[in-house]
Amino acid sequence: MTNNHSALQLDTQDSTPELEASYCGPLLMIESHIIENRRRIETWFREQWRKTPAPFYSSVDLRNAGYKLGPVDTNLFPAGFNNLNHSFDPLVVQAIQSAVEHACPDARGMLIIPERHTRNRFYLESLATMAELFELAGFETRIGSLDELDKPAHFELPSGRTLTQHPIHREGRRIEVDGFSPCTIVLNNDLSGGREEILEDLEQTVVPPTALGWWHRSKFNHFSHYQALANELADLIDLDPWHLAPMILDCGQIDFMKREGENCLQEKVSEMLAAIQTKYDELEIKEKPFVVIKADAGTYGMGVMMAQSAEEVVGLNRKQRTRMAASKDGRSINRVLIQEGIYSFERLGSSGHVAEPVLYMIDRHVVGGFYRVHTKKGQSENLNSPGAEFVPLPFTQSCVTPAPDASPDSDQNRLYCYGVVARLALLAAAREQQDLTGDAADAPSAG
């Protein structure tokens, strides 16, 4: 997902990523369907947001193979705000104001709760950017800490900013920082390590709800919702939903260290590869199918492996099994999602490095994004890994509207199409939120 904080910022003078020419035709067909049906799509989204309000914020990792454009991960506690195009800060500020109004209409202040025990300067830069954006939106903002601090911790950042994390304490059903007790707490911790008692049963509004943490969330459940929504939208615009949705299978229970569940994994991988090959044959796609095996819960690109044959998942060596046995915060992996692999045929200019778009949303609004680029990874590999670099998306106008008079594959229309797929993933997350919190009325409303 998008919480890989160890990345550097690329020099963007090389150029923005472009799709390999041989795949432009199929993508043009997908983009044309979306642009031609933009009124139906926007009306459909408005109806959906009324039924199922959007989460407070999110980011979505996309892959573009030309013949297929789909999400591969949806993060509900995103970092990386420092990598966005700051020309669009006014759009972000407006979206924040809307989201906070729906979460806590009387809010005057915000308390951000970040990841534990982090000194990663890239993540701290993201926190500093978040705090600045909330301040620009008109909210007094502090950054708390779940660590046991006896005094504020100050960090000097490469940008020249100073970030301060404050000790927090609980008074009754409220969390305070030196007497600062805002109505809204913004959680930027995905709770991979489990529930945090101090965040339970608060009278303050916590966004996103703690129930959306990885202690409770399932990627299989998320992508099941996504597939159902992709089917509905594709039917609306007369498009094969396969072009927008990766196929998925569930496999659990599994224990990589004890080699338990290997037969199930082998069978599911074989089944998935056969299904992909059938679709490739139907559409005369010459690429070799592959699958992505990933932890059913977790982030940071951990607990992920690729396979082009069922034999590759049997008899893993100790290093491979160790890598797949645990994710962030040492969380054991005992259930995995098997996902259709989507190639990324977008490459960065003359360097030819593989790239994938990542879009950010606040409430139901697309507010920006970047291309994740990796100089040492191929078009079928996981780019969310150490060494990734970021190029802000080349928005020249509003990043949320199409340009009907331009070619469907113009920059603005392509980014609009990315936004449609990202919002579809956001809507799937909204349905997750409704499932996990039990009452959509308790979720932040999209109006």
Side-chain angles (χ1 to χ4, degrees):
M1 303 178 87
T2 56
N3 270 359
N4 182 355
H5 310 136
S6 60
L8 302 173
Q9 183 84 18
L10 271 178
D11 181 355
T12 61
Q13 293 180 351
D14 188 4
S15 86
T16 54
E18 295 182 356
L19 188 69
E20 292 182 20
S22 58
Y23 297 98
C24 289
L27 179 62
L28 183 62
M29 179 273 294
I30 297 171
E31 292 170 336
S32 297
H33 270 78
I34 292 175
I35 300 302
E36 290 169 3
N37 289 278
R38 62 192 182 280
R39 296 186 187 89
R40 288 183 179 181
I41 290 171
E42 294 304 327
T43 299
W44 181 81
F45 269 122
R46 287 194 295 271
E47 292 171 351
Q48 297 304 315
W49 297 131
R50 283 196 292 269
K51 298 174 186 175
T52 320
F56 184 78
Y57 58 3
S58 65
S59 64
V60 177
D61 296 8
L62 304 177
R63 301 275 286 199
N64 184 358
Y67 51 81
K68 193 178 187 85
L69 170 63
V72 294
D73 263 320
T74 302
N75 189 357
L76 299 182
F77 302 89
F81 285 94
N82 53 309
N83 293 311
L84 302 183
N85 184 342
H86 295 296
S87 297
F88 287 87
D89 283 355
L91 180 65
V92 181
V93 166
Q94 186 178 28
I96 289 171
Q97 291 170 335
S98 175
V100 175
E101 181 180 351
H102 296 140
C104 184
D106 298 326
R108 296 184 178 182
M110 314 289 288
L111 178 62
I112 300 172
I113 302 295
E115 298 284 352
R116 279 183 176 273
H117 309 300
T118 182
R119 298 295 183 268
N120 185 299
R121 66 185 186 276
F122 301 105
Y123 178 63
L124 296 177
E125 289 281 14
S126 176
L127 286 178
T129 300
M130 282 182 62
E132 288 181 356
L133 290 168
F134 284 131
E135 289 278 353
L136 287 172
F139 303 102
E140 182 180 359
T141 304
R142 308 278 180 85
I143 298 174
S145 177
L146 292 171
D147 299 338
E148 295 180 3
L149 303 178
D150 55 11
K151 61 181 180 179
H154 305 285
F155 302 91
E156 300 298 327
L157 303 181
S159 62
R161 298 178 290 188
T162 299
L163 178 79
T164 300
Q165 291 192 22
H166 299 270
I168 63 174
H169 65 278
R170 181 160 172 157
E171 291 289 339
R173 296 179 61 208
R174 299 186 72 85
I175 290 178
E176 296 184 355
V177 169
D178 296 330
F180 178 69
S181 180
C183 93
T184 303
I185 294 174
V186 178
L187 193 57
N188 198 240
N189 182 315
D190 62 21
L191 303 179
S192 290
R195 304 173 72 166
E196 294 282 355
E197 185 176 352
I198 196 172
L199 300 175
E200 298 294 326
D201 192 31
L202 293 174
E203 65 182 27
Q204 293 155 300
T205 300
V206 179
V207 290
T210 58
L212 291 179
W214 281 123
W215 67 274
H216 199 202
R217 213 182 146 212
S218 159
K219 293 180 184 179
F220 181 78
N221 185 46
H222 171 76
F223 281 101
S224 295
H225 280 303
Y226 180 85
Q227 283 192 326
L229 288 163
N231 288 342
E232 188 173 339
L233 180 63
D235 183 62
L236 183 70
I237 64 176
D238 191 27
L239 180 71
D240 182 346
W242 179 83
H243 291 294
L244 302 177
M247 293 184 278
I248 57 169
L249 290 172
D250 186 25
C251 191
Q253 300 283 323
I254 190 166
D255 188 322
F256 284 96
M257 297 310 295
K258 294 181 179 179
R259 297 188 182 277
E260 295 176 354
E262 278 191 352
N263 290 338
C264 168
L265 185 59
Q266 184 180 23
E267 291 172 3
K268 298 283 187 178
V269 168
S270 180
E271 179 182 346
M272 175 67 74
L273 288 170
I276 301 170
Q277 187 63 66
T278 297
K279 197 67 183 180
Y280 280 14
D281 290 344
E282 175 189 331
L283 299 176
E284 299 183 347
I285 296 169
K286 304 303 182 184
E287 305 302 329
K288 185 176 177 62
F290 74 100
V291 301
V292 182
I293 301 155
K294 59 178 71 174
D296 190 48
T299 185
Y300 287 89
M302 300 176 68
V304 178
M305 66 178 292
M306 278 66 171
Q308 291 186 322
S309 72
E311 289 70 32
E312 292 179 40
V313 302
V314 177
L316 299 178
N317 62 39
R318 185 169 184 83
K319 182 178 180 180
Q320 292 170 317
R321 287 184 287 124
T322 299
R323 189 173 65 245
M324 290 298 298
S327 61
K328 183 188 164 199
D329 292 336
R331 180 187 177 95
S332 296
I333 296 174
N334 54 26
R335 195 174 197 91
V336 295
L337 170 71
I338 301 165
Q339 189 176 59
E340 175 189 359
I342 302 177
Y343 284 92
S344 183
F345 291 129
E346 288 187 288
R347 294 183 178 274
L348 183 66
S350 58
S351 69
H353 298 316
V354 178
E356 64 185 13
V358 182
L359 265 66
Y360 280 65
M361 287 155 288
I362 295 176
D363 200 73
R364 59 180 177 174
H365 307 289
V366 179
V367 297
F370 51 78
Y371 280 103
R372 181 186 287 118
V373 180
H374 207 298
T375 62
K376 297 182 180 179
K377 297 289 185 179
Q379 57 203 20
S380 64
E381 294 183 275
N382 177 26
L383 304 189
N384 188 13
S385 57
E389 305 174 270
F390 302 134
V391 177
L393 285 172
F395 295 132
T396 55
Q397 301 181 44
S398 171
C399 55
V400 295
T401 57
D405 295 333
S407 168
D409 63 350
S410 66
D411 280 349
Q412 187 170 348
N413 282 331
R414 178 156 298 170
L415 294 173
Y416 172 74
C417 292
Y418 287 168
V420 168
V421 176
R423 284 184 288 159
L424 200 58
L426 177 66
L427 185 53
R431 292 192 176 182
E432 276 187 275
Q433 179 170 267
Q434 185 173 6
D435 288 348
L436 296 175
T437 61
D439 185 355
D442 291 338
S445 172

